[in-house]
Amino acid sequence: MKIATYNVNGINGRLPVLLRWLAEAQPDIVCLQELKCPQEKFPIEEINGAGYQAIWKGQKSWNGVAILSKGYEIKEVQNSLPGDPDDVQSRYIEAIINQTVICCLYLPNGNPYPGEKFEYKLSWIKRFKRRTNQLIKMELPAILIGDFNIIPTEKDVHKPEKWEDDALFRTEVRKAYKDLEKKGWLDSIRKIYPDETVYTFWDYMYKSYERNAGIRLDHILLSPYLSPKLSKAGVDEHVRGWEKSSDHAPVWIELKK
């Protein structure tokens, strides 16, 4: 089973890129972030035409998350992160597919640091950790997947010294990511590529993609139940080079049956 995540950075504006990649990569399950469209504007007909069912939660102009599935039924569990009924940002959707809990997330960016946006990011992370702890205690096959807006370590960023006061690389958020790993969540990419330079995002400015001046923000974390089934993982970096592509590249794993 091939499972992928892709921050599309505007699903309607970049729909040709998404459909091209789906046809090429043929993932079974896909988590999308930054839809940037209201609920009723999600291109469900085109997604169905590509062979996928979908659940989604849109938001006008900003945010938005979706889960796509080809060949497996999607049972939605919840479409918001528990713990704050006043939080209206569309950043989390959870489903059960093929007896696996899929937690698709678009974690807040948090910039500028310091400030209210960074505090919101930290509070969101606390709520998220509560949910991930529940999944660990239940010993379920589960996947945390999406744009975490966290650069886990220095080897996940080009010139880390320039990022010390960025909300993506602050000590607090890197510790939160490390805490997930300590609880048993496996970083799929680092399991397969422990020492290699792997990026998933390249800014549109300064020829970042051409210079490979990137960062790793998009992650797929596996619960202990699923970790032994990991067989392959990768980043479709070439998609970032397509015309009118997102500034993120798709990230994927393959699980043994």
Side-chain angles (χ1 to χ4, degrees), residues 228-243:
K229 297 186 178 183
L230 178 66
S231 61
K232 296 180 182 179
V235 180
D236 289 341
E237 296 182 11
H238 66 285
V239 176
R240 173 62 178 82
W242 291 353
E243 185 177 359

Side-chain angles (χ1 to χ4, degrees), residues 136 144 152-153 174-188 190-191 216 221-222 224:
I136 289 287
L144 314 179
T153 70
R174 291 164 62 190
K175 180 183 181 300
Y177 191 91
K178 197 67 178 177
D179 288 344
L180 289 173
E181 293 181 297
K182 289 179 180 178
K183 285 287 186 178
W185 295 98
L186 179 72
D187 184 334
S188 301
R190 278 295 165 225
K191 177 63 177 179
R216 189 168 75 100
L221 274 57
L222 303 179

Side-chain angles (χ1 to χ4, degrees), residues 74-195:
I74 307 176
K75 182 179 179 181
E76 184 174 314
V77 176
Q78 53 192 343
N79 62 15
S80 61
L81 185 65
D84 184 357
D86 296 325
D87 185 0
V88 297
Q89 296 193 28
S90 178
R91 295 186 173 275
Y92 186 84
I93 190 166
E94 183 179 313
I96 297 174
I97 302 176
N98 193 28
Q99 300 181 328
T100 299
V101 182
I102 306 293
C103 305
C104 172
L105 63 137
Y106 176 43
L107 203 145
N109 179 289
N111 280 305
Y113 168 85
E116 292 182 3
K117 290 184 177 181
F118 187 69
E119 294 306 315
Y120 170 64
K121 180 173 189 170
L122 294 182
S123 67
W124 203 98
I125 288 173
K126 287 181 180 178
R127 291 158 52 203
F128 180 57
K129 288 171 72 173
R130 285 198 293 269
R131 179 57 181 154
T132 64
N133 288 340
Q134 291 172 347
L135 294 171
I136 289 287
K137 289 178 181 178
M138 288 187 285
E139 299 182 346
L140 293 172
I143 303 177
L144 314 179
I145 177 170
D147 179 356
F148 281 61
N149 269 318
I150 296 175
I151 304 168
T153 70
E154 290 190 354
K155 64 183 175 184
D156 297 308
V157 53
H158 180 72
K159 294 186 177 180
E161 66 276 6
K162 294 187 176 182
W163 292 79
E164 290 181 358
D165 286 326
D166 192 286
L168 306 179
F169 197 55
R170 284 290 305 167
T171 302
E172 299 93 325
V173 298
R174 291 164 62 190
K175 180 183 181 300
Y177 191 91
K178 197 67 178 177
D179 288 344
L180 289 173
E181 293 181 297
K182 289 179 180 178
K183 285 287 186 178
W185 295 98
L186 179 72
D187 184 334
S188 301
I189 289 292
R190 278 295 165 225
K191 177 63 177 179
I192 301 296
Y193 304 102
D195 301 310

